[in-house]
Amino acid sequence: MNPWRRSGLRAAGLRVRLLLAFALLGLVTTAVVAGGSYLQARRVILQQAQDAAVVSLTDQLTKFYPIRQLPPQQEDLDRMAQLLSDRDGYAIVIYHDMRAQGSQTADLLTPELRRDVRDGDRVVWQRVSVRGAPALVIGAPLMLEQPDGTSEPSGVEVYAVRSLLSEQRSIDQLALWAWLTGGLCLVFAALLASLAASGVLRPVRELGRAAHRLGEGDLTTRLAVRGSDELTEVARTFNHTAELLERQVGELRRMEADARRFVADVSHELRTPLAAMTAVTDVLDEEADRLPGDAGRAARLVSEETQKLTRLVDDLIEVSRFDSGTARLALDEVDVAAAVTATLRARGWADRVRAELPPGVMARLDPRRLDVVVANLVGNAFRHGAPPVWLRLRAEPDWITVEVGDHGPGLDPETLPHVFDRFFKADTARTRSEGSGLGLAIAWENARLHRHAGHQGSLVAGNGPSGGALFTLRLPRATTDPAEAAESATAERAGAAGPAADPATVGPAAAGDSAAAGGVR
């Protein structure tokens, strides 16, 4: 997935989390405030209605207090119920089995309410529902005056039923306003969250893009420092880190370039004295058999070490070409089977290698570099593996594959990731043995030079299914030289331009021989 897309998804996730957090906070705050306000207002409204109804009933009862005659007549109860009833409610008057009431029944009088009225001398109330509408039932005993001036319950129970419909409408209106207020607060919280998220996510996105550019190698990337909050401090820290990284990487690149230039310069400077030394060793080789004892052995030793030094210098020059990007391909239409056979025959391996080379496999590639790679792989199989050594050529529509294997102990799993590292030797005790440790690195670079349609050749190391090391070389059958393509494009844009010269040209035979003999794993 594209890193910018991943950054956008992360930013979107953070934005969603911020919006949800603000929305949840707004929802909880609105629910607490609006809910608390609603409950408090509801309690106040109902309490006021209740108090008003109690006061009204108490005032009306004074008209009938005290009762001077018991038991009352039915006419007395009817008159009391009629006088206590009005447009806001009706009254129920009960005396034992006698009952007088308004237009409603007394079914809504609960036993608990009647018991509290009969046994007490105070006003009691209860909220009930009458035909789905809220109502308030207020009950009070009618007192009887005694000769001594005291009073006691007369047995007459008076109940007033008052409708709370208007209060319920007020409460419903209040609830509606609470919901509307909550919704507006939620929208307002979402807007605040969006603004806050934009303010927070903008520098986060800028930081993500800057880190991405920095990771891609643009060490000049910096962030604009604005404000004085924590994100500003992060931007300053990022810029300081990027500045230090740019300085250190620049120093490392300079040192690496100096080291490569030093190796290349030394290698080229050694070519001339090595050429003279090689001429001398040729003479010593001819005379070594006639020299006595130690002198003959010393002559042969000098010749062998001179040859090793020559190969090492040639390998270093080849590596310097890869590092500087000046390595070129000399492409030709090649019969791969014939080229591999020539490589084996030139080194005396034709009878020692089990080769499966189907004829007629043609490919456009650099024959010298193919020779270097195959010679290195087969030579390593003989030196570090066990016979029989085998080589197999396979052809695909767009690729050729060359496999080289042996029947030795194979490669240690810890060694595999480093096989193609420069100067790497699996056996550290062999620091002065056959090769320089550059052969496989050069073979790997030679394989990668061959490319077509954006795909590079490859050289992969592993172990075969039946044991032994297995190296697999894959090359495109229609290789294009990117350097030549770039030069052609430059020449077309400029109008006319010739191919660039290789500043570190080495003879094909020397480079091929050195790489073939130099690599060890």
Side-chain angles (χ1 to χ4, degrees), residues 276-468:
M277 293 175 62
T278 301
V280 173
T281 56
D282 290 342
V283 176
L284 290 177
D285 287 340
E286 295 176 357
E287 300 295 330
D289 293 337
R290 292 190 291 271
L291 294 175
D294 293 340
R297 286 192 294 274
R300 284 188 288 273
L301 179 61
V302 169
S303 177
E304 292 174 0
E305 293 300 323
T306 301
Q307 292 176 4
K308 288 183 180 180
L309 182 59
T310 301
R311 287 195 295 269
L312 175 60
V313 170
D314 290 337
D315 286 349
L316 290 174
I317 292 176
E318 186 75 1
V319 167
S320 69
R321 284 203 196 99
F322 292 128
D323 291 341
S324 62
T326 57
R328 295 290 186 269
L329 292 175
L331 297 175
D332 196 4
E333 197 71 24
V334 176
D335 186 330
V336 181
V340 172
T341 300
T343 297
L344 300 179
R345 186 180 297 114
R347 290 160 178 82
W349 297 336
D351 298 331
R352 299 172 59 192
V353 177
R354 295 180 181 178
E356 299 179 15
L357 303 172
V361 178
M362 304 299 294
R364 176 176 168 78
L365 46 79
D366 188 329
R368 180 182 72 83
R369 297 187 186 277
L370 175 65
D371 175 80
V372 169
V373 176
V374 173
N376 183 275
L377 298 181
V378 175
N380 276 339
F382 280 122
R383 281 190 294 272
H384 310 300
V389 174
W390 56 271
L391 184 149
R392 182 185 301 119
L393 171 63
R394 291 187 289 109
E396 302 173 13
D398 298 322
W399 295 83
I400 61 167
T401 302
V402 179
E403 296 177 332
V404 177
D406 59 64
H407 289 75
L411 295 169
D412 191 314
E414 296 181 356
T415 302
L416 279 175
H418 309 288
V419 164
F420 299 110
D421 292 350
R422 297 175 184 178
F423 299 105
F424 176 77
K425 296 183 180 181
D427 185 1
T428 56
R430 295 187 293 106
T431 54
R432 288 288 299 130
S433 61
E434 299 90 346
S436 62
L438 290 173
L440 285 176
I442 292 176
W444 184 75
E445 293 284 1
N446 280 328
R448 295 178 71 248
L449 276 180
H450 293 76
R451 64 182 66 193
H452 177 71
H455 298 286
Q456 292 179 318
S458 64
L459 178 59
V460 180
N463 290 311
S466 58

Side-chain angles (χ1 to χ4, degrees), residues 30-31 33-39 171-186:
T30 302
V33 175
S37 301
Y38 168 77
L39 292 176
I171 292 173
D172 291 343
Q173 189 71 19
L174 184 63
L176 177 61
W177 279 108
W179 280 108
L180 291 176
T181 303
L184 292 176
C185 289
L186 191 59

Side-chain angles (χ1 to χ4, degrees), residues 18-39:
L18 284 173
L19 287 174
L20 289 178
F22 272 83
L24 182 60
L25 178 61
L27 185 61
V28 171
T29 303
T30 302
V32 171
V33 175
S37 301
Y38 168 77
L39 292 176

